[in-house]
Amino acid sequence: MNRILVLTGGGDCPGLNAVIRAIVKRASQEKDYEIVGSIESFNGVLKDPAEVIILDEQSVAGILVKGGTIIGTTNKGGPFAYPVRNNDGTWGTLDRSDEMIRRLQYMGITGVINIGGDGSLRISKALADKGLNIINVPKTIDNDLSSTDYTFGFQTAVQIATEAVDKLVTTAASHNRIFILEVMGRDAGWIALNSAIAGGADVCVIPEIPYDIENIKQKIETRYSKGRGFCIIVVAEGAKNKDGKRIGAVSNEVGYENFMLGGIGWSLKQELITAGVEHDIRVTLLGHLQRGGTPIAYDRVLACEFGVAAFELALVGKWGNMVAYRHPDVIAVPFEEALREPHLVSPDSRLVRTAKGLGIEFGD
Ligand code: F6P
């Protein structure tokens, strides 16, 4: 009997359930394959008693369209840095990776499919280096993984951000206001750039192109030059001005290592006021709305392709690879290559040139 463990790690994103379902459905066509889900990423395996469930066709029925993940996820800790409470009450971390591999052997797991972003990919690479049979599926709304044209979840986030721009346009126009929409994406400006183009925004501020507030101010004044006017600014959470400071906070949640980005929208508003902009400014922070709800059709299709491809890699024992979409194919990319560099917006790219051709100001 081959037993494949499936888990979802890192922040959730629309399409996770579609991948799980695709793996289960494809596996059901093979003899001697069982799919097991670990609850809350690798934590399910490390808990006592273990929290794992059999995933069969019945348990994945109807989940194609569901947001989130039926097996839970976490972006804290992991087998190499498992949070443990010290005797003095403070928190530390423990490397439980070897123990986890032993637990997987004991459970009869013959291979693992890890559905996650860059953090999950790093964990998978380290586990593969220890000899674990593991394959990754790239998920993230940020679209910041290289080697794949798109990660699933991204297009849904762009759709949600675009709908937010559409809504802000009507209220901004009615009140002659400036609206700043802060979107997610970490250090990548993909969501901001795509939704700014799709929604017809006037200004797009992304991490890859540091802004000068004076240039944004000038664009605003042009928008108001005929007396009445309004202005839509889409800003990526990781954006920074020419001084290069990201806005956010260090988290005090146990095991949470990421810098918590957020607040650039408010800081941009303050900078505009300081620069002398006198029009009304309102800030909208879209936040986790971008990660919730049902995946759009594009992401469902991509998730299904990834799920089937990941299982088929397991079937032929091509461990140590991440499935990736390279139009028009789904290919296998070795972990080292997939991890080599983040996928960021190039300031000289066609998409940025398109945006500039449409008159969108980046502040550079
Ligand atoms: O990586 C996905 C993402 O949604 C980022 O865009 C964002 O910065 C981060 O996760 C938020 O993480 P959390 O869910 O821990 O607040």
Side-chain angles (χ1 to χ4, degrees), residues 150 193 197 346-356:
Y150 293 114
L193 178 56
I197 293 174
S346 159
D348 308 318
S349 61
R350 183 187 49 81
L351 208 54
V352 172
R353 278 189 278 118
T354 298
K356 288 188 170 175

Side-chain angles (χ1 to χ4, degrees), residues 10-13 75-76 118 139-142 144 183-187 191 237 253 256 258-262 287-288 290-291:
D12 71 328
C13 104
N75 52 8
K76 296 175 185 170
D118 55 346
K139 74 82 229 192
T140 167
I141 62 163
D142 305 336
D144 59 354
V183 299
M184 283 183 165
R186 295 211 66 75
D187 295 312
I191 299 176
E237 61 181 2
E253 292 168 4
Y256 193 96
N258 283 337
F259 183 64
M260 287 180 111
L261 290 166
H288 292 76
Q290 291 157 98
R291 287 203 338 221

Side-chain angles (χ1 to χ4, degrees), residues 194-208:
N194 282 272
S195 59
I197 293 174
D202 308 294
V203 179
C204 177
V205 187
I206 59 174
E208 296 88 340

Side-chain angles (χ1 to χ4, degrees), residues 82-93 254-255:
Y82 195 85
V84 282
R85 202 184 267 283
N86 299 319
N87 291 339
D88 62 2
T90 59
W91 285 88
T93 58
V254 175

Side-chain angles (χ1 to χ4, degrees), residues 2-8 15-38 53-64 69-71 113 115 137 303-312 314-315:
N2 291 282
R3 192 169 285 148
I4 305 290
L5 184 87
V6 173
L7 54 113
T8 49
L16 286 167
N17 285 324
V19 178
I20 296 168
R21 171 181 171 273
I23 293 168
V24 171
K25 279 193 160 284
R26 180 62 187 84
S28 71
Q29 295 169 23
E30 300 296 324
K31 276 199 211 91
D32 302 333
Y33 270 87
E34 184 173 73
I35 305 296
V36 178
S38 173
I53 54 168
I54 302 287
L55 292 169
D56 55 15
E57 286 201 88
Q58 204 184 340
S59 49
V60 299
I63 68 169
L64 173 63
T69 160
I70 59 163
I71 50 178
I113 299 179
I115 311 168
V137 176
C304 288
E305 290 206 85
F306 280 168
V308 169
F311 180 78
E312 289 180 351
L315 205 55

Side-chain angles (χ1 to χ4, degrees), residues 31 35 47 84 122 131 153 158 166 178 196 198 209 213 222 229 264 275 282-283 288 300 325 347 361:
K31 276 199 211 91
I35 305 296
K47 285 210 172 125
V84 282
R122 267 186 284 278
V158 170
D166 293 347
I178 298 165
I209 305 180
I213 201 71
T222 318
I264 179 75
R282 295 290 186 271
V283 178
H288 292 76
R300 292 184 204 179
Y325 174 57
E361 174 64 49

